[in-house]
Amino acid sequence: MRLICQSLGLALLGTAMSACEGGRLSDFDGRTETGGPRHESGAFEGPVARAVCGPGSQPETSDVQGRVPLEDVESGRSKAGYWCNLEQVGHQGNGALWQMAWYEDCAYYGLGVVFANGSTTGFVPGSPVVPAGGTAVVDVSDPTNPVQTVTLNTPAMIDPWESLKVNEKRGLLAGSSLSIEGPGYVDIYDIKPGFATDCSTPVLMSSAPVGTVGHEGEWAPDGMTYYSSGFISPNTTAVDVTNPYATKTIAIINDGIHGLSVSEDGTRLYAAEFARGSNEIGDMSPPTEEDDATNGLEIWDVGGIQTRSHAATTTVAPSHVIGSVYWKDGAVAQMTIPVSIDGKPYVIFIDEGGGVAEEGQPQSPGMARIIDVSDEANPVVISKLKNEINMLEHADLREADGGASGFTYQGHYCS
């Protein structure tokens, strides 16, 4: 088994045994075998069971699961990394941000952030391209010696933020660019093996302005539609990629969301909705007790877009919300991952931010949760995937380690 991980570069990891030895995903279904409490709603509240680390592991030094103590940061210990039942077999690069995509023996990741005003805020020092950014293409056919083959610098690939996605069925790579004042772009590359090409030599098929897009993105599984969320703009754009040489916008859904995913048949969009009460789209501040909780999962009917019906191909199409579930113990809804466990549909959901503190207690990280979507009209949170450091009783440690900042002990991207 090989894992490709992005963290200030690219690391290739091999597994010696299960990296989640403490319990399978299907164990965390709201029951209490793992020893954690259950919320009054019936959801498992965490923490998840500890992993059993085998030889060669380098787990966290703290006796609290998931903690990186401030002293590890100050001493430099944290820079060595932590791992359990994994060993690094290869490494490439010295700068990466936000997200990575992969296809066959290749990986693709953004080198830096360049916003519309030209700022390089958030850029990782040491990245090989400064300040233009770009998307690195890495050949990992030799896992011990991954090699960057090219940097993509077309409009969307200069800074694809969290939109970089591959459609495996058609062998297409897509990314979208953030635009605040002008149109954003969606770039489509062919990465299939072909005449004198393979996944390490992407071929640009189209680069087209499609509206104010650019924060995140995802393909419909058949590869005919690419969705891009606006995040800062209050729209989600559906792009027709039936002809990848001539992409076009076919629907603009009047709702700005963060991350998204699409059901296998392409008719449902699982949206990470994070607009809350009086807070405007793009507001990253934590919710307060006065805010209406609209941070959570929404299930949209996008069947009309999938089938290209006349009603869905107008310039502006409304979002059709089939079902939803919101919460206040998390904020800045990040992303969704549809999965099937024992033949039953679920969505894995990750929050970037912490939620409202209950009864005067410190803010708790939102982290990840498992949502049962078998009844689309009434999705139900059944499990919350937290480490021990994410529990309320360790709020003092989180604060001491810098827990008041956005990502200290919070979820971001999970693959």
Side-chain angles (χ1 to χ4, degrees):
M1 179 180 180
R2 289 288 184 266
L3 302 177
I4 302 176
C5 300
Q6 175 197 1
S7 179
L8 303 183
L10 185 76
L12 277 76
L13 308 173
T15 59
M17 56 190 296
S18 170
C20 297
E21 190 71 20
R24 297 175 297 112
L25 179 60
S26 56
D27 290 335
F28 306 129
D29 61 358
R31 297 172 294 177
T32 56
E33 282 86 338
T34 53
R38 257 195 340 187
H39 190 265
E40 58 185 12
S41 66
F44 170 78
E45 284 290 306
V48 298
R50 290 190 175 198
V52 178
C53 299
S57 298
Q58 186 164 298
E60 60 263 62
T61 58
S62 173
D63 59 356
V64 177
Q65 176 199 50
R67 184 186 180 210
V68 179
L70 183 58
E71 49 265 33
D72 276 16
V73 177
E74 294 173 341
S75 70
R77 166 63 183 82
S78 62
K79 291 183 179 180
Y82 306 90
W83 59 86
C84 178
N85 304 325
L86 299 168
E87 62 176 342
Q88 180 172 295
V89 296
H91 179 87
Q92 181 277 327
N94 61 353
L97 283 175
W98 305 131
Q99 193 189 25
M100 184 183 69
W102 56 91
Y103 180 76
E104 295 189 344
D105 287 331
C106 296
Y108 314 90
Y109 66 87
L111 291 167
V113 173
V114 181
F115 292 99
N117 62 5
S119 169
T120 56
T121 302
F123 196 86
V124 173
S127 187
V129 182
V130 182
T135 297
V137 178
V138 183
D139 182 345
V140 298
S141 54
D142 178 359
T144 65
N145 185 35
V147 177
Q148 182 175 341
T149 58
V150 69
T151 300
L152 308 179
N153 283 307
T154 47
M157 294 301 175
I158 290 175
D159 179 18
W161 210 343
E162 295 165 350
S163 69
L164 203 61
K165 295 293 172 65
V166 162
N167 181 264
E168 294 191 5
K169 184 173 183 178
R170 298 185 69 191
L172 297 176
L173 171 70
S176 59
S177 62
L178 171 67
S179 175
I180 298 174
E181 298 179 353
Y185 277 72
V186 168
D187 294 351
I188 306 295
Y189 281 82
D190 187 346
I191 52 176
K192 297 186 301 296
F195 179 73
T197 64
D198 58 24
C199 63
S200 67
T201 55
V203 176
L204 180 65
M205 307 190 81
S206 64
S207 180
V210 293
T212 52
V213 296
H215 190 78
E216 296 217 23
E218 186 56 274
W219 289 93
D222 63 5
M224 299 298 177
T225 310
Y226 175 79
Y227 290 90
S228 180
S229 65
F231 185 65
I232 294 174
S233 66
N235 295 314
T236 301
T237 304
V239 179
D240 185 350
V241 196
T242 304
N243 179 359
Y245 291 100
T247 58
K248 60 183 178 180
T249 298
I250 55 171
I252 299 177
I253 303 171
N254 292 321
D255 198 342
I257 57 174
H258 203 165
L260 63 141
S261 57
V262 184
S263 64
E264 192 62 34
D265 64 3
T267 66
R268 299 291 185 264
L269 187 150
Y270 302 109
E273 177 63 75
F274 67 98
R276 302 180 304 277
S278 59
N279 291 8
E280 297 180 356
I281 295 292
D283 186 352
M284 299 289 285
S285 61
T288 67
E289 293 182 1
E290 288 72 35
D291 284 327
D292 295 327
T294 53
N295 182 86
L297 171 69
E298 290 183 350
I299 302 175
W300 295 357
D301 181 355
V302 292
I305 296 173
Q306 175 70 13
T307 60
R308 305 296 195 262
S309 70
H310 176 74
T313 54
T314 54
T315 55
V316 176
S319 59
H320 300 284
V321 180
I322 299 172
S324 60
V325 57
Y326 307 113
W327 49 81
K328 285 193 173 184
D329 63 336
V332 197
Q334 165 77 53
M335 62 175 294
T336 61
I337 309 171
V339 299
S340 177
I341 303 173
D342 296 331
K344 191 173 182 178
Y346 298 87
V347 167
I348 311 298
F349 194 106
I350 294 91
D351 279 323
E352 270 194 41
V356 175
E358 296 183 7
E359 299 179 359
Q361 296 192 57
Q363 183 189 66
S364 62
M367 297 302 291
R369 60 195 77 210
I370 301 177
I371 304 173
D372 182 345
V373 294
S374 54
D375 178 358
E376 291 185 322
N378 299 287
V380 177
V381 176
I382 61 168
S383 295
K384 300 176 186 179
L385 306 181
K386 301 178 183 178
N387 288 320
E388 292 169 9
I389 190 61
N390 304 126
M391 305 303 288
L392 282 174
E393 58 264 32
H394 294 304
D396 57 337
L397 291 177
R398 290 199 303 274
E399 188 70 21
D401 294 340
S405 63
F407 295 144
T408 305
Y409 287 123
Q410 189 56 58
H412 191 241
Y413 246 91
C414 298
S415 297

